[in-house]
Amino acid sequence: GDSVTQMEGPVTLSEEAFLTINCTYTATGYPSLFWYVQYPGEGLQLLLKATKADDKGSNKGFEATYRKETTSFHLEKGSVQVSDSAVYFCALRAGGTSYGKLTFGQGTILTVHP
Amino acid sequence: EADIYQTPRYLVIGTGKKITLECSQTMGHDKMYWYQQDPGMELHLIHYSYGVNSTEKGDLSSESTVSRIRTEHFPLTLESARPSHTSQYLCASSGNKGAGVYEQYFGPGTRLTVT
């Protein structure tokens, strides 16, 4: 079945450091890929998405590129801020009839210190 | 901005009580979902619906039940709450958009504690 694997956390960085959160997936066909962010006490928000190979999703300084050859969708940000502290989830939506269901990774907790 | 609402946000209740967690969306989405989020943050799909009068079990077995009588409303019910039901419950919805990419929009969650 479909699966998503994220790098284990938690990740702790100083402000303005470079961020990478690794995400790899297993899926049949051509899935769409997403990064969601969850701030403390809130639900998940869509951060960025990519629908086909070599697509780059970007939002709020975050980027991720859909790499079909390595089945990866790593999240990057050049300079993190304290306000980026949150839990980050990688997810995929398989093609075909899946009723829009998403498969999520286990989440990575990011803490950014001043 | 997504318009999906959950009530209550926090609930503390005794063992054996019946509870209903409310979820409503105003986006006209046909698909709705319930997730259970454990303390380790992992999300587990427990129920979903692809339209009115349709409900399906998710990937994680749950003692809860759901109903979908109206497009906008997808309540989750526990007939007899137990401490093992203590968790965060997240509701989400999605609809056809663009080239068939079904983005899910999430509510703020209900944090349930059963004593």
CSV table of all heavy atoms in Angstrom, one decimal, chain B residues 39-96:
chain,number,residue,atom,x,y,z
B,39,PRO,N,-0.8,11.3,20.8
B,39,PRO,CA,0.1,12.3,21.4
B,39,PRO,C,1.4,12.4,20.7
B,39,PRO,O,2.1,13.4,20.7
B,39,PRO,CB,0.3,11.7,22.8
B,39,PRO,CG,-0.9,11.0,23.1
B,39,PRO,CD,-1.4,10.4,21.8
B,40,GLY,N,1.8,11.3,19.9
B,40,GLY,CA,3.0,11.4,19.1
B,40,GLY,C,2.8,12.1,17.8
B,40,GLY,O,3.8,12.2,17.0
B,41,MET,N,1.7,12.7,17.6
B,41,MET,CA,1.3,13.6,16.5
B,41,MET,C,0.9,12.8,15.3
B,41,MET,O,0.4,13.4,14.3
B,41,MET,CB,2.5,14.5,16.1
B,41,MET,CG,2.9,15.5,17.1
B,41,MET,SD,1.5,16.6,17.4
B,41,MET,CE,1.9,17.3,19.0
B,42,GLU,N,1.0,11.5,15.2
B,42,GLU,CA,0.6,10.8,14.0
B,42,GLU,C,-0.9,10.8,13.8
B,42,GLU,O,-1.7,10.8,14.7
B,42,GLU,CB,1.1,9.3,14.1
B,42,GLU,CG,1.1,8.6,12.8
B,42,GLU,CD,1.9,7.3,12.8
B,42,GLU,OE1,2.7,7.1,13.8
B,42,GLU,OE2,1.9,6.6,11.8
B,43,LEU,N,-1.3,11.0,12.5
B,43,LEU,CA,-2.7,11.1,12.1
B,43,LEU,C,-3.2,9.7,11.7
B,43,LEU,O,-2.5,9.1,10.9
B,43,LEU,CB,-2.8,12.1,11.0
B,43,LEU,CG,-2.6,13.5,11.4
B,43,LEU,CD1,-2.3,14.3,10.1
B,43,LEU,CD2,-3.8,14.1,12.0
B,44,HIS,N,-4.4,9.4,12.1
B,44,HIS,CA,-5.0,8.1,11.7
B,44,HIS,C,-6.4,8.4,11.2
B,44,HIS,O,-7.2,9.0,11.9
B,44,HIS,CB,-5.1,7.1,12.8
B,44,HIS,CG,-3.8,6.8,13.5
B,44,HIS,ND1,-2.9,6.0,12.9
B,44,HIS,CD2,-3.3,7.2,14.6
B,44,HIS,CE1,-1.8,5.9,13.7
B,44,HIS,NE2,-2.0,6.7,14.8
B,45,LEU,N,-6.7,8.0,9.9
B,45,LEU,CA,-8.0,8.2,9.4
B,45,LEU,C,-9.0,7.2,10.0
B,45,LEU,O,-8.7,6.0,9.9
B,45,LEU,CB,-8.0,8.0,7.8
B,45,LEU,CG,-9.3,8.2,7.1
B,45,LEU,CD1,-9.8,9.6,7.1
B,45,LEU,CD2,-9.1,7.7,5.6
B,46,ILE,N,-10.1,7.7,10.6
B,46,ILE,CA,-11.0,6.8,11.2
B,46,ILE,C,-12.3,6.7,10.5
B,46,ILE,O,-13.0,5.6,10.6
B,46,ILE,CB,-11.2,7.1,12.7
B,46,ILE,CG1,-11.6,8.6,12.9
B,46,ILE,CG2,-10.0,6.8,13.6
B,46,ILE,CD1,-12.0,8.9,14.4
B,47,HIS,N,-12.8,7.7,9.8
B,47,HIS,CA,-14.0,7.7,9.0
B,47,HIS,C,-13.9,8.6,7.8
B,47,HIS,O,-13.1,9.6,7.9
B,47,HIS,CB,-15.2,8.1,9.8
B,47,HIS,CG,-15.5,7.3,11.0
B,47,HIS,ND1,-16.1,6.1,10.9
B,47,HIS,CD2,-15.3,7.5,12.3
B,47,HIS,CE1,-16.3,5.6,12.1
B,47,HIS,NE2,-15.8,6.4,13.0
B,48,TYR,N,-14.6,8.3,6.8
B,48,TYR,CA,-14.7,9.3,5.7
B,48,TYR,C,-16.0,9.1,5.0
B,48,TYR,O,-16.7,8.1,5.1
B,48,TYR,CB,-13.5,9.2,4.7
B,48,TYR,CG,-13.4,7.9,3.9
B,48,TYR,CD1,-13.9,7.8,2.6
B,48,TYR,CD2,-12.8,6.8,4.5
B,48,TYR,CE1,-13.8,6.7,1.9
B,48,TYR,CE2,-12.7,5.7,3.8
B,48,TYR,CZ,-13.1,5.6,2.5
B,48,TYR,OH,-13.0,4.4,1.8
B,49,SER,N,-16.4,10.2,4.2
B,49,SER,CA,-17.6,10.2,3.5
B,49,SER,C,-17.4,10.9,2.2
B,49,SER,O,-16.7,11.9,2.1
B,49,SER,CB,-18.7,11.0,4.3
B,49,SER,OG,-19.8,11.3,3.5
B,50,TYR,N,-18.0,10.3,1.1
B,50,TYR,CA,-17.8,10.9,-0.2
B,50,TYR,C,-19.1,11.6,-0.7
B,50,TYR,O,-19.2,12.0,-1.8
B,50,TYR,CB,-17.3,9.9,-1.2
B,50,TYR,CG,-17.9,8.6,-1.3
B,50,TYR,CD1,-19.1,8.4,-2.0
B,50,TYR,CD2,-17.4,7.5,-0.5
B,50,TYR,CE1,-19.6,7.1,-2.0
B,50,TYR,CE2,-17.9,6.3,-0.6
B,50,TYR,CZ,-19.1,6.1,-1.3
B,50,TYR,OH,-19.7,4.8,-1.3
B,51,GLY,N,-20.1,11.7,0.2
B,51,GLY,CA,-21.3,12.4,-0.1
B,51,GLY,C,-22.4,12.1,0.9
B,51,GLY,O,-22.2,11.3,1.8
B,52,VAL,N,-23.5,12.7,0.7
B,52,VAL,CA,-24.6,12.5,1.6
B,52,VAL,C,-25.0,11.1,1.6
B,52,VAL,O,-25.1,10.4,0.5
B,52,VAL,CB,-25.8,13.4,1.1
B,52,VAL,CG1,-27.1,13.1,1.9
B,52,VAL,CG2,-25.5,14.9,1.3
B,53,ASN,N,-25.3,10.6,2.8
B,53,ASN,CA,-25.7,9.2,3.0
B,53,ASN,C,-24.7,8.2,2.7
B,53,ASN,O,-25.0,7.0,2.6
B,53,ASN,CB,-27.0,8.9,2.2
B,53,ASN,CG,-28.2,9.6,2.7
B,53,ASN,OD1,-28.3,9.9,3.9
B,53,ASN,ND2,-29.1,10.0,1.8
B,54,SER,N,-23.4,8.6,2.6
B,54,SER,CA,-22.3,7.6,2.4
B,54,SER,C,-21.3,7.8,3.6
B,54,SER,O,-21.0,8.9,3.9
B,54,SER,CB,-21.6,7.9,1.1
B,54,SER,OG,-20.6,8.8,1.3
B,55,THR,N,-20.9,6.7,4.2
B,55,THR,CA,-19.9,6.7,5.2
B,55,THR,C,-19.1,5.5,5.1
B,55,THR,O,-19.6,4.4,4.8
B,55,THR,CB,-20.5,6.9,6.7
B,55,THR,OG1,-21.3,5.7,6.9
B,55,THR,CG2,-21.2,8.1,6.9
B,56,GLU,N,-17.8,5.6,5.4
B,56,GLU,CA,-16.9,4.4,5.3
B,56,GLU,C,-15.9,4.5,6.5
B,56,GLU,O,-15.6,5.5,7.0
B,56,GLU,CB,-16.1,4.5,4.0
B,56,GLU,CG,-16.9,4.5,2.7
B,56,GLU,CD,-17.5,3.2,2.4
B,56,GLU,OE1,-17.0,2.2,2.9
B,56,GLU,OE2,-18.4,3.2,1.5
B,57,LYS,N,-15.5,3.3,6.9
B,57,LYS,CA,-14.5,3.1,7.9
B,57,LYS,C,-13.1,3.5,7.3
B,57,LYS,O,-12.9,3.2,6.2
B,57,LYS,CB,-14.4,1.7,8.4
B,57,LYS,CG,-15.7,1.3,9.2
B,57,LYS,CD,-15.8,1.8,10.6
B,57,LYS,CE,-16.9,1.2,11.3
B,57,LYS,NZ,-17.0,1.7,12.7
B,58,GLY,N,-12.3,4.1,8.2
B,58,GLY,CA,-11.0,4.5,7.7
B,58,GLY,C,-10.0,3.4,8.0
B,58,GLY,O,-10.3,2.2,8.2
B,59,ASP,N,-8.7,3.8,8.0
B,59,ASP,CA,-7.6,2.8,8.2
B,59,ASP,C,-7.5,2.3,9.6
B,59,ASP,O,-6.9,1.2,9.8
B,59,ASP,CB,-6.3,3.5,7.7
B,59,ASP,CG,-6.5,4.0,6.3
B,59,ASP,OD1,-7.1,3.3,5.4
B,59,ASP,OD2,-5.9,5.1,6.0
B,60,LEU,N,-7.9,3.1,10.6
B,60,LEU,CA,-7.8,2.8,12.0
B,60,LEU,C,-9.1,2.4,12.5
B,60,LEU,O,-10.1,3.2,12.4
B,60,LEU,CB,-7.1,3.9,12.8
B,60,LEU,CG,-7.0,3.6,14.3
B,60,LEU,CD1,-5.9,2.6,14.5
B,60,LEU,CD2,-6.6,4.9,15.0
B,61,SER,N,-9.2,1.3,13.1
B,61,SER,CA,-10.5,0.9,13.7
B,61,SER,C,-10.9,1.8,14.8
B,61,SER,O,-10.1,2.1,15.6
B,61,SER,CB,-10.4,-0.6,14.2
B,61,SER,OG,-11.6,-1.0,14.8
B,62,SER,N,-12.2,2.2,14.8
B,62,SER,CA,-12.6,3.1,15.9
B,62,SER,C,-14.0,2.6,16.4
B,62,SER,O,-14.8,2.1,15.6
B,62,SER,CB,-12.7,4.5,15.3
B,62,SER,OG,-13.3,5.4,16.3
B,63,GLU,N,-14.3,2.9,17.6
B,63,GLU,CA,-15.6,2.5,18.2
B,63,GLU,C,-16.6,3.6,17.9
B,63,GLU,O,-17.8,3.5,18.3
B,63,GLU,CB,-15.5,2.2,19.7
B,63,GLU,CG,-14.7,1.0,20.0
B,63,GLU,CD,-14.3,0.8,21.4
B,63,GLU,OE1,-14.4,1.8,22.2
B,63,GLU,OE2,-13.8,-0.2,21.8
B,64,SER,N,-16.2,4.7,17.3
B,64,SER,CA,-17.1,5.8,17.0
B,64,SER,C,-17.9,5.5,15.8
B,64,SER,O,-17.6,4.7,15.0
B,64,SER,CB,-16.3,7.1,16.8
B,64,SER,OG,-15.3,7.0,15.8
B,65,THR,N,-19.0,6.3,15.6
B,65,THR,CA,-19.8,6.2,14.4
B,65,THR,C,-20.0,7.6,13.9
B,65,THR,O,-19.8,8.6,14.6
B,65,THR,CB,-21.2,5.6,14.7
B,65,THR,OG1,-21.8,6.4,15.7
B,65,THR,CG2,-21.0,4.2,15.2
B,66,VAL,N,-20.3,7.7,12.6
B,66,VAL,CA,-20.5,9.0,11.9
B,66,VAL,C,-21.8,8.9,11.1
B,66,VAL,O,-22.3,7.8,10.8
B,66,VAL,CB,-19.4,9.4,11.0
B,66,VAL,CG1,-18.1,9.7,11.8
B,66,VAL,CG2,-19.1,8.3,10.0
B,67,SER,N,-22.3,10.1,10.7
B,67,SER,CA,-23.4,10.2,9.9
B,67,SER,C,-23.2,11.3,8.9
B,67,SER,O,-22.5,12.3,9.2
B,67,SER,CB,-24.7,10.4,10.6
B,67,SER,OG,-24.7,11.6,11.4
B,68,ARG,N,-23.9,11.3,7.7
B,68,ARG,CA,-23.8,12.4,6.8
B,68,ARG,C,-25.2,12.6,6.1
B,68,ARG,O,-25.4,12.1,5.0
B,68,ARG,CB,-22.7,12.0,5.7
B,68,ARG,CG,-22.4,13.2,4.8
B,68,ARG,CD,-21.3,14.0,5.3
B,68,ARG,NE,-21.0,15.2,4.5
B,68,ARG,CZ,-20.3,15.1,3.3
B,68,ARG,NH1,-19.7,14.0,2.9
B,68,ARG,NH2,-20.1,16.2,2.7
B,69,ILE,N,-26.0,13.3,6.8
B,69,ILE,CA,-27.3,13.5,6.4
B,69,ILE,C,-27.4,14.8,5.5
B,69,ILE,O,-28.2,14.9,4.6
B,69,ILE,CB,-28.3,13.7,7.6
B,69,ILE,CG1,-28.3,12.3,8.4
B,69,ILE,CG2,-29.7,14.0,7.1
B,69,ILE,CD1,-29.0,12.4,9.7
B,70,ARG,N,-26.5,15.7,5.8
B,70,ARG,CA,-26.4,17.0,5.0
B,70,ARG,C,-25.0,17.1,4.5
B,70,ARG,O,-24.0,16.7,5.2
B,70,ARG,CB,-26.8,18.2,5.9
B,70,ARG,CG,-28.2,18.1,6.5
B,70,ARG,CD,-28.7,19.5,6.9
B,70,ARG,NE,-27.7,20.2,7.7
B,70,ARG,CZ,-27.6,20.2,9.0
B,70,ARG,NH1,-28.4,19.5,9.7
B,70,ARG,NH2,-26.7,21.0,9.6
B,71,THR,N,-24.8,17.8,3.4
B,71,THR,CA,-23.5,17.9,2.8
B,71,THR,C,-22.5,18.6,3.8
B,71,THR,O,-21.4,18.2,3.8
B,71,THR,CB,-23.6,18.8,1.5
B,71,THR,OG1,-24.4,18.1,0.5
B,71,THR,CG2,-22.2,19.1,0.9
B,72,GLU,N,-23.0,19.6,4.5
B,72,GLU,CA,-22.1,20.5,5.3
B,72,GLU,C,-21.8,19.9,6.6
B,72,GLU,O,-21.0,20.5,7.3
B,72,GLU,CB,-22.7,21.9,5.4
B,72,GLU,CG,-24.1,21.9,6.1
B,72,GLU,CD,-25.3,21.7,5.2
B,72,GLU,OE1,-25.1,21.2,4.1
B,72,GLU,OE2,-26.4,22.1,5.7
B,73,HIS,N,-22.5,18.8,7.0
B,73,HIS,CA,-22.4,18.4,8.4
B,73,HIS,C,-21.9,16.9,8.5
B,73,HIS,O,-22.5,16.1,7.9
B,73,HIS,CB,-23.8,18.6,9.1
B,73,HIS,CG,-23.8,18.5,10.5
B,73,HIS,ND1,-24.9,17.9,11.2
B,73,HIS,CD2,-22.9,18.9,11.5
B,73,HIS,CE1,-24.6,18.0,12.5
B,73,HIS,NE2,-23.5,18.6,12.7
B,74,PHE,N,-21.0,16.7,9.4
B,74,PHE,CA,-20.4,15.3,9.5
B,74,PHE,C,-20.1,15.0,11.0
B,74,PHE,O,-18.9,15.0,11.4
B,74,PHE,CB,-19.1,15.2,8.6
B,74,PHE,CG,-18.6,13.8,8.4
B,74,PHE,CD1,-19.4,12.8,8.2
B,74,PHE,CD2,-17.2,13.6,8.4
B,74,PHE,CE1,-18.9,11.5,8.0
B,74,PHE,CE2,-16.7,12.4,8.2
B,74,PHE,CZ,-17.5,11.3,7.9
B,75,PRO,N,-21.1,14.8,11.8
B,75,PRO,CA,-20.8,14.6,13.3
B,75,PRO,C,-20.2,13.2,13.6
B,75,PRO,O,-20.5,12.2,12.9
B,75,PRO,CB,-22.2,14.8,13.9
B,75,PRO,CG,-23.1,14.4,12.8
B,75,PRO,CD,-22.5,14.8,11.5
B,76,LEU,N,-19.5,13.1,14.6
B,76,LEU,CA,-18.9,11.9,15.1
B,76,LEU,C,-19.4,11.6,16.5
B,76,LEU,O,-19.4,12.5,17.4
B,76,LEU,CB,-17.4,12.0,15.1
B,76,LEU,CG,-16.6,10.8,15.6
B,76,LEU,CD1,-15.3,10.7,14.8
B,76,LEU,CD2,-16.3,10.8,17.1
B,77,THR,N,-19.9,10.4,16.7
B,77,THR,CA,-20.5,10.0,18.0
B,77,THR,C,-19.8,8.8,18.7
B,77,THR,O,-19.4,7.9,18.0
B,77,THR,CB,-22.0,9.6,17.8
B,77,THR,OG1,-22.7,10.8,17.3
B,77,THR,CG2,-22.7,9.2,19.1
B,78,LEU,N,-19.6,9.0,20.0
B,78,LEU,CA,-19.2,7.9,20.8
B,78,LEU,C,-20.3,7.5,21.8
B,78,LEU,O,-20.7,8.4,22.6
B,78,LEU,CB,-17.9,8.3,21.6
B,78,LEU,CG,-16.6,8.2,20.9
B,78,LEU,CD1,-15.5,8.9,21.7
B,78,LEU,CD2,-16.2,6.7,20.7
B,79,GLU,N,-20.8,6.3,21.7
B,79,GLU,CA,-21.9,5.9,22.5
B,79,GLU,C,-21.6,5.8,24.0
B,79,GLU,O,-22.4,6.2,24.9
B,79,GLU,CB,-22.5,4.6,22.0
B,79,GLU,CG,-23.2,4.7,20.7
B,79,GLU,CD,-24.5,5.5,20.7
B,79,GLU,OE1,-25.1,5.6,21.8
B,79,GLU,OE2,-24.9,6.1,19.7
B,80,SER,N,-20.4,5.4,24.3
B,80,SER,CA,-19.9,5.2,25.7
B,80,SER,C,-18.4,5.5,25.7
B,80,SER,O,-17.6,4.7,25.4
B,80,SER,CB,-20.3,3.8,26.1
B,80,SER,OG,-19.8,3.6,27.5
B,81,ALA,N,-18.1,6.7,26.2
B,81,ALA,CA,-16.7,7.1,26.2
B,81,ALA,C,-15.9,6.4,27.2
B,81,ALA,O,-16.4,6.0,28.3
B,81,ALA,CB,-16.7,8.6,26.5
B,82,ARG,N,-14.7,6.1,26.8
B,82,ARG,CA,-13.7,5.4,27.7
B,82,ARG,C,-12.4,6.2,27.7
B,82,ARG,O,-12.1,6.9,26.8
B,82,ARG,CB,-13.4,4.0,27.2
B,82,ARG,CG,-14.6,3.1,27.3
B,82,ARG,CD,-14.2,1.6,27.4
B,82,ARG,NE,-13.4,1.2,26.3
B,82,ARG,CZ,-13.9,0.6,25.2
B,82,ARG,NH1,-15.2,0.4,25.2
B,82,ARG,NH2,-13.1,0.2,24.3
B,83,PRO,N,-11.6,6.0,28.7
B,83,PRO,CA,-10.3,6.7,28.8
B,83,PRO,C,-9.4,6.5,27.5
B,83,PRO,O,-8.7,7.4,27.1
B,83,PRO,CB,-9.6,6.2,30.0
B,83,PRO,CG,-10.8,5.8,30.9
B,83,PRO,CD,-11.8,5.3,30.0
B,84,SER,N,-9.6,5.3,26.9
B,84,SER,CA,-8.8,5.0,25.7
B,84,SER,C,-9.2,5.9,24.5
B,84,SER,O,-8.5,6.0,23.5
B,84,SER,CB,-8.9,3.5,25.3
B,84,SER,OG,-10.3,3.2,25.0
B,85,HIS,N,-10.3,6.6,24.6
B,85,HIS,CA,-10.8,7.5,23.6
B,85,HIS,C,-10.2,8.9,23.7
B,85,HIS,O,-10.4,9.7,22.8
B,85,HIS,CB,-12.3,7.6,23.6
B,85,HIS,CG,-13.0,6.3,23.3
B,85,HIS,ND1,-14.1,5.9,24.0
B,85,HIS,CD2,-12.7,5.4,22.4
B,85,HIS,CE1,-14.5,4.8,23.5
B,85,HIS,NE2,-13.7,4.4,22.5
B,86,THR,N,-9.4,9.1,24.8
B,86,THR,CA,-8.8,10.4,24.9
B,86,THR,C,-7.8,10.7,23.8
B,86,THR,O,-6.9,9.9,23.5
B,86,THR,CB,-8.0,10.4,26.3
B,86,THR,OG1,-9.0,10.3,27.4
B,86,THR,CG2,-7.2,11.7,26.4
B,87,SER,N,-8.0,11.8,23.1
B,87,SER,CA,-7.2,12.1,21.9
B,87,SER,C,-7.6,13.4,21.3
B,87,SER,O,-8.6,14.0,21.8
B,87,SER,CB,-7.4,11.0,20.8
B,87,SER,OG,-6.5,11.1,19.8
B,88,GLN,N,-6.9,13.8,20.3
B,88,GLN,CA,-7.3,15.0,19.5
B,88,GLN,C,-8.0,14.4,18.2
B,88,GLN,O,-7.5,13.5,17.6
B,88,GLN,CB,-6.1,15.7,19.1
B,88,GLN,CG,-6.2,16.8,18.0
B,88,GLN,CD,-6.5,18.2,18.5
B,88,GLN,OE1,-7.2,18.4,19.5
B,88,GLN,NE2,-5.9,19.1,17.9
B,89,TYR,N,-9.2,15.0,17.9
B,89,TYR,CA,-10.0,14.6,16.8
B,89,TYR,C,-10.0,15.7,15.8
B,89,TYR,O,-10.5,16.8,16.1
B,89,TYR,CB,-11.4,14.1,17.2
B,89,TYR,CG,-11.4,12.9,18.0
B,89,TYR,CD1,-11.2,12.9,19.4
B,89,TYR,CD2,-11.5,11.6,17.4
B,89,TYR,CE1,-11.2,11.8,20.1
B,89,TYR,CE2,-11.5,10.5,18.1
B,89,TYR,CZ,-11.3,10.5,19.5
B,89,TYR,OH,-11.3,9.4,20.2
B,90,LEU,N,-9.6,15.5,14.5
B,90,LEU,CA,-9.6,16.5,13.5
B,90,LEU,C,-10.5,16.1,12.4
B,90,LEU,O,-10.5,15.0,11.9
B,90,LEU,CB,-8.1,16.6,12.9
B,90,LEU,CG,-7.1,17.1,13.9
B,90,LEU,CD1,-5.7,17.0,13.2
B,90,LEU,CD2,-7.3,18.6,14.2
B,91,CYS,N,-11.3,17.1,12.0
B,91,CYS,CA,-12.2,16.9,10.8
B,91,CYS,C,-11.6,17.7,9.6
B,91,CYS,O,-11.0,18.7,9.8
B,91,CYS,CB,-13.6,17.5,11.2
B,91,CYS,SG,-14.8,17.4,9.9
B,92,ALA,N,-11.9,17.1,8.4
B,92,ALA,CA,-11.4,17.7,7.2
B,92,ALA,C,-12.4,17.6,6.1
B,92,ALA,O,-13.3,16.7,6.2
B,92,ALA,CB,-10.0,17.1,6.8
B,93,SER,N,-12.2,18.4,5.1
B,93,SER,CA,-13.1,18.2,3.9
B,93,SER,C,-12.3,18.5,2.6
B,93,SER,O,-11.3,19.2,2.7
B,93,SER,CB,-14.3,19.2,4.0
B,93,SER,OG,-13.9,20.5,3.8
B,94,SER,N,-12.8,18.0,1.5
B,94,SER,CA,-12.2,18.3,0.2
B,94,SER,C,-13.2,18.2,-0.9
B,94,SER,O,-14.3,17.6,-0.7
B,94,SER,CB,-11.0,17.3,0.0
B,94,SER,OG,-11.5,16.0,-0.3
B,95,GLY,N,-12.9,18.9,-2.0
B,95,GLY,CA,-13.7,18.9,-3.1
B,95,GLY,C,-12.9,19.0,-4.4
B,95,GLY,O,-11.8,19.4,-4.3
B,96,ASN,N,-13.5,18.8,-5.5
B,96,ASN,CA,-12.8,18.8,-6.8
B,96,ASN,C,-12.4,20.3,-7.1
B,96,ASN,O,-13.1,21.2,-6.9
B,96,ASN,CB,-13.7,18.3,-7.9
B,96,ASN,CG,-12.9,18.0,-9.2
B,96,ASN,OD1,-11.7,17.9,-9.1
B,96,ASN,ND2,-13.6,17.9,-10.3
